[in-house]
Amino acid sequence: MSRDTFVRWLEDLSGDDTDAVGGKSANLGELADLDVPVLPGFTTTASAYDYYVEATGIHSEIKSQLDGLDVDDVSDLQRRGERIRRTISEASMPPELESAILERYAELGDEIDIEDPEVAVRSSATAEDLPEASFAGQQETFLNVAGETELIESIKHCFASLFTDRAIVYRENNDFDHFDVKLACTVQKMGRADLASSGVLFTLDPDTGFEDVVVIEAAYGFGEPIVQGVVDPDRYVVFKPTNGIVEKQLGGKTQRMVRRNGGTKLESVPEAAREEFALSDERIRELATYATRIEEHFETPQDIEWLVDGDLEELFVVQARPETVHGAATENVLRTYSLTETAEELLDGVAIGSAIATGPVRILEDHRQMDLVEEGDVLVTEMTDPDWVPVMKKASAIVTDRGGKTSHAAIVSRELGIPAIVRAGDATDVLSDGTTVTVDCSTDTGRVYEGALEYEVTEEEIDDLPETETEVKLVLGDPDRAFALANLPVDGVGLAREEFIVTSHVGHHPLALLSRGEESQFVDALRTGIAKIGAAFYPDEVIFRLSDFKTDEYRNLTGGPPYEPEEDNPMLGWRGASRYYDETFREAFRLECEALRQVREDVGLDNVIVMVPFCRTPEEGQRVLDLLAEFGLSQEEMDIYVMAELPSNIVLADRFAELFDGFSIGSNDLTQLTLGVDRNSEQLAPLFDETNDAVKRSITSLIEDAHRHDRPVGICGDAPSTIPEYTEFLLEAGIDSISVSPDVAIETLLTVAEFES
Ligand code: PEP
Ligand code: MG
């Protein structure tokens, strides 16, 4: 009999071997077949199990114990089950089988250069006819098994676990022959994540269902506390088409699970290690490559557990299974929630989902207090685990003190479509039982407000929309909304305002950071913000507009005041292009350019191009173009647009057209400056009118001049988003693209389609 009859290397198996080695071993073989690294190991075969049962002569003993079994008689079942398991585990391993297993074990030790390596022994049943979910977890796992004697004992116990009481009942109730199911044992080197790191990943963004990214959570030590949300992990987002890293968020990682005295325990992570990312960029990209490969192979989004083995200093995929939340159906209704009033904010945390809900607070310490929860309550608790699901189903919203984006509370809330705020600090102390609150997850930061606030829900069907010749794009500067909006049928983003990204993701004045040598903080955060928007709409064009803060706005950034003059008219002041080449600001401008250069070159998002705002003269335009080229952004590599928002841009359109690759009309500033109406003045608000002929003629004339020079013209000011008829005027004037806010994108598309038909 060949040794392969009894034992097989995992790497030699494939998904077709389920009958021979059971589902678990075959799946690991399938991964190895894809050149995805799995922890080294072997499996015993179904034939080995059969041989064991036959050669030891225990078959008839098992059979006689099962004869006349009444599964409803629990004590009889327990008695018989116990006896069968004892019969199996106490039989002596036949010598041929034992030597086949021990030879493989020795070879495994040789291969990884560890004598008597610690292994995990897991059961792999050949129950392919049984629904996976109902069979999974019915057999045992033995961890940290070392040495020949312990290995053989574990394998015998593993065999015996085919006859747990639950498994017996399941087979009886479903008319499965007890001897048709075989048990193979997967024997794999123990993954030493306790010496390195581990985590989970999804091959899509679990919050929005955006499919072009891999989202990885990583921390030190074994993965269990990461899955449970006890440890606050790092979070990395990788863009699949370029394998570029879009985002890296440093997690707290205060604790890690390690081995201690044969068991595990949580220990504190040294301060210096917490400040570092758990994975290098190289590892992040390597992991994303495997994740994408697995997803492509199984043709459905995956939820993957992985680890870095500290002994072998290698990355391994431990488990891959279909992602159940977003994997199945794609929603073609876009629901957008927004609060229409506000009240005192009670606390905040990480928002899960994007909905808003209201209800009375119900604080629970234990899921067994479930009866206290009424349908529609806002469930507030420290943390949840699977026992909480029935309670969570009754809630209108969930707030937990602890947990992360893939913690139990988060995953279940997403699946149930219930807004949840996790890691909300001391929610169980701050909120009081019985008081009504509003839970708002419509932005990235989830917030709890006092009282039942009014909110709006808009629904957009995004199926079967017509293609239009005039492009419809988004105005979108909030990176946190980008993935959720990625499925809108638009032609990219016509305006991503840098100011939005800086305010939400940086918060500090660039010159203040430069003076402290912390410029990378600015570059990294800005790069992440741009990359998220760029990735969401790739390969459609995303126009990133360079900074156009006014001095009063810049002063509001942390550390801003010393760098910003007090101006009487910031609207007409030191803003836009004029700042870039100013010696006092030039270095800050270099940082903006560097962030974009990294997005294009390092993340690979060359769909992101640049636009210059508030450019007063062609001479100024030339200086900025020279500077852009000096900082690595040249017109040889990408189009550079200019905003048309000053009367000088209109009057000298021919000269601007010689310099820039295209125009985008800023109807806000253009109206302000054409009519001489401060756009911030409440008193003059009625005079601020984009439909005034002076503004409209400027637009018409710009389009004519630009087209004469073969330059495209878009619009990114607010006019078409707020004045429905404006779109028609623009179309008649021959505009090439219209950018609007997301809430009116579909409406605008329909208007354009109708005009063109
Ligand atoms: C505009 O002026 O119309 C424009 C889009 O720019 P901002 O509103 O940022 O000044
Ligand atoms: Mg403007």
Side-chain angles (χ1 to χ4, degrees):
M1 210 175 302
S2 127
R3 203 172 52 157
D4 269 10
T5 317
F6 293 144
V7 282
R8 306 269 306 270
W9 288 119
L10 292 175
E11 64 194 34
D12 294 339
L13 302 168
S14 77
D16 300 335
D17 291 311
T18 309
D19 282 347
V21 297
K24 173 139 193 102
S25 292
N27 275 345
L28 288 167
E30 183 91 0
L31 292 177
D33 232 23
L34 299 174
D35 274 335
V36 168
V38 297
L39 281 156
F42 60 91
T43 180
T44 62
T45 60
S47 308
Y49 172 81
D50 274 343
Y51 186 76
Y52 181 80
V53 172
E54 293 304 329
T56 52
I58 58 177
H59 185 278
S60 54
E61 166 69 14
I62 300 171
K63 204 163 167 13
S64 70
Q65 286 295 336
L66 290 165
D67 279 346
L69 166 72
D70 171 10
V71 290
D72 294 326
D73 181 344
V74 175
S75 56
D76 185 46
L77 168 71
Q78 285 173 346
R79 209 165 31 244
R80 288 167 188 256
E82 169 66 34
R83 211 167 299 156
I84 296 172
R85 291 192 295 276
R86 205 156 2 100
T87 304
I88 301 176
S89 59
E90 287 179 1
S92 60
M93 186 66 82
E96 316 81 279
L97 184 50
E98 177 164 310
S99 63
I101 293 170
L102 294 182
E103 264 177 51
R104 271 290 145 93
Y105 180 56
E107 283 167 10
L108 174 65
D110 287 347
E111 190 188 298
I112 59 179
D113 217 9
I114 302 175
E115 200 181 329
D116 283 347
E118 288 193 341
V119 289
V121 179
R122 295 190 174 85
S123 38
S124 174
T126 62
E128 83 270 44
D129 291 325
L130 302 184
E132 176 74 28
S134 48
F135 209 70
Q138 289 190 3
Q139 290 92 32
E140 280 194 69
T141 290
F142 300 87
L143 300 177
N144 308 320
V145 174
E148 298 186 340
T149 317
E150 215 188 312
L151 174 62
I152 296 297
E153 278 311 301
S154 304
I155 289 178
K156 292 196 310 187
H157 278 96
C158 213
F159 285 164
S161 73
L162 191 53
F163 287 88
T164 60
D165 298 348
R166 268 170 68 200
I168 296 172
V169 172
Y170 187 84
R171 289 193 295 264
E172 287 284 327
N173 288 344
N174 292 282
D175 276 341
F176 284 108
D177 184 323
H178 290 284
F179 291 96
D180 274 356
V181 184
K182 326 273 183 204
L183 200 112
C185 295
T186 316
V187 179
Q188 256 182 315
K189 179 194 183 299
M190 282 296 298
R192 296 303 305 270
D194 54 321
L195 305 175
S197 53
S198 66
V200 293
L201 68 83
F202 294 102
T203 60
L204 46 60
D205 175 34
D207 278 343
T208 58
F210 177 54
E211 290 180 348
D212 283 351
V213 287
V214 172
V215 177
I216 301 170
E217 294 203 337
Y220 300 116
F222 290 123
E224 200 181 311
I226 305 170
V227 175
Q228 289 171 353
V230 175
V231 166
D232 172 20
D234 294 344
R235 188 165 180 277
Y236 319 122
V237 178
V238 184
F239 186 55
K240 287 181 202 164
T242 63
N243 209 31
I245 301 171
V246 166
E247 182 170 27
K248 282 168 60 176
Q249 277 176 15
L250 191 69
K253 304 194 295 289
T254 51
Q255 292 181 302
R256 66 180 159 203
M257 185 174 267
V258 293
R259 290 179 47 187
R260 198 55 40 92
N261 303 330
T264 53
K265 76 164 234 200
L266 277 176
E267 69 167 26
S268 178
V269 172
E271 207 68 51
R274 294 179 198 181
E275 297 301 315
E276 281 181 17
F277 288 108
L279 288 187
S280 66
D281 286 4
E282 205 182 351
R283 281 262 191 260
I284 294 170
R285 277 192 278 263
E286 185 189 357
L287 190 51
T289 310
Y290 299 139
T292 310
R293 199 181 296 163
I294 297 169
E295 178 184 51
E296 276 170 8
H297 177 75
F298 291 108
E299 295 179 349
T300 175
Q302 301 283 307
D303 165 350
I304 290 170
E305 285 180 33
W306 58 270
L307 61 81
V308 174
D309 182 298
D311 271 341
L312 306 178
E313 292 181 5
E314 275 177 58
L315 182 68
F316 295 101
V317 168
V318 179
Q319 190 179 74
R321 56 181 173 226
E323 203 267 0
T324 47
V325 184
H326 285 94
T330 47
E331 262 224 274
N332 51 15
V333 176
L334 184 79
R335 255 176 230 101
T336 319
Y337 289 75
S338 51
L339 280 180
T340 52
E341 57 174 342
T342 189
E344 194 194 337
E345 182 183 321
L346 301 174
L347 50 87
D348 63 29
V350 179
I352 305 298
S354 58
I356 300 175
T358 63
V361 168
R362 196 61 60 208
I363 302 173
L364 288 203
E365 277 172 20
D366 194 306
H367 65 91
R368 280 167 290 209
Q369 299 168 304
M370 172 163 174
D371 289 345
L372 298 176
V373 178
E374 304 272 342
E375 205 70 41
D377 282 357
V378 172
L379 171 65
V380 179
T381 176
E382 210 185 313
M383 203 154 88
T384 68
D385 63 39
D387 291 334
W388 284 82
V389 174
V391 197
M392 296 170 80
K393 283 191 169 157
K394 289 168 97 179
S396 63
I398 296 159
V399 182
T400 64
D401 290 352
R402 296 195 281 141
K405 285 197 163 215
T406 59
S407 66
H408 181 263
I411 289 173
V412 174
S413 311
R414 266 186 223 109
E415 187 160 325
L416 299 176
I418 299 172
I421 300 179
V422 298
R423 217 178 298 140
D426 40 10
T428 45
D429 284 335
V430 173
L431 301 176
S432 20
D433 214 60
T435 57
T436 299
V437 295
T438 299
V439 175
D440 173 18
C441 292
S442 62
T443 61
D444 213 36
T445 303
R447 295 191 169 84
V448 181
Y449 296 99
E450 196 173 315
L453 302 187
E454 299 270 322
Y455 61 91
E456 229 174 50
V457 189
T458 52
E459 292 199 353
E460 307 277 14
E461 273 277 352
I462 54 174
D463 250 4
D464 292 338
L465 278 160
E467 286 280 320
T468 58
E469 200 171 314
T470 309
E471 292 180 321
V472 175
K473 304 180 185 219
L474 291 187
V475 174
L476 178 69
D478 179 0
D480 296 333
R481 290 194 72 199
F483 290 175
L485 295 168
N487 281 338
L488 270 177
V490 292
D491 303 296
V493 172
L495 172 64
R497 289 180 171 95
E498 181 182 319
E499 305 85 79
F500 277 44
I501 309 175
V502 170
T503 311
S504 63
H505 282 55
V506 185
H508 294 263
H509 194 289
L511 291 174
L513 289 175
L514 270 164
S515 75
R516 298 202 299 269
E518 292 169 12
E519 58 185 78
S520 62
Q521 193 181 325
F522 185 89
V523 175
D524 290 352
L526 184 57
R527 182 193 59 211
T528 299
I530 305 170
K532 279 170 120 174
I533 302 173
F537 296 93
Y538 185 90
D540 287 340
E541 193 173 81
V542 168
I543 303 178
F544 166 67
R545 191 184 71 182
L546 295 159
S547 63
D548 190 19
F549 278 117
K550 289 104 205 162
T551 46
D552 52 336
E553 295 168 340
Y554 260 126
R555 209 173 306 114
N556 285 335
L557 294 173
T558 309
Y563 303 102
E564 298 299 327
E566 292 270 1
E567 293 179 319
D568 288 340
N569 277 310
M571 277 296 185
L572 301 177
W574 197 38
R575 61 176 285 200
S578 316
R579 291 179 74 105
Y580 306 161
Y581 54 87
D582 189 312
E583 275 312 310
T584 57
F585 192 76
R586 187 188 144 100
E587 272 301 283
F589 182 62
R590 181 178 59 80
L591 303 186
E592 302 176 29
C593 298
E594 176 57 16
L596 179 63
R597 194 196 59 74
Q598 291 184 10
V599 168
R600 288 176 54 88
E601 288 171 23
D602 302 349
V603 192
L605 294 165
D606 55 9
N607 59 320
V608 184
I609 63 162
V610 77
M611 178 153 74
V612 179
F614 220 78
C615 186
R616 290 171 161 116
T617 62
E619 291 72 25
E620 188 167 73
Q622 185 60 59
R623 289 181 82 165
V624 172
L625 288 171
D626 292 345
L627 210 48
L628 281 167
E630 188 182 328
F631 294 146
L633 304 170
S634 87
Q635 274 171 306
E636 275 155 35
E637 321 235 324
M638 68 173 156
D639 284 351
I640 298 181
Y641 278 50
V642 67
M643 295 278 296
E645 56 183 349
L646 295 133
S648 60
N649 302 139
I650 310 295
V651 176
L652 302 179
D654 54 340
R655 290 185 52 203
F656 281 101
E658 278 165 19
L659 297 174
F660 291 95
D661 299 289
F663 294 90
S664 184
I665 298 163
S667 53
N668 308 336
D669 276 314
L670 187 61
T671 304
Q672 157 171 272
L673 299 172
T674 303
L675 299 177
V677 174
D678 183 338
R679 56 195 266 201
N680 283 347
S681 162
E682 240 174 83
Q683 203 175 6
L684 299 182
L687 301 181
F688 185 89
D689 178 14
E690 297 104 319
T691 65
N692 184 289
D693 253 355
V695 180
K696 284 175 140 183
R697 280 195 207 178
S698 294
I699 290 177
T700 313
S701 127
L702 173 82
I703 295 173
E704 280 170 13
D705 288 349
H707 283 175
R708 212 173 304 120
H709 287 80
D710 255 350
R711 298 293 187 228
V713 181
I715 181 163
C716 64
D718 282 351
S721 298
T722 54
I723 310 164
E725 313 78 67
Y726 220 73
T727 299
E728 252 166 68
F729 151 68
L730 293 165
L731 291 165
E732 267 157 22
I735 197 119
D736 301 293
S737 75
I738 300 178
S739 299
V740 291
S741 55
D743 53 333
V744 297
I746 306 283
E747 198 182 312
T748 307
L749 257 168
L750 294 172
T751 309
V752 173
E754 192 174 332
F755 180 88
E756 288 178 355
S757 67

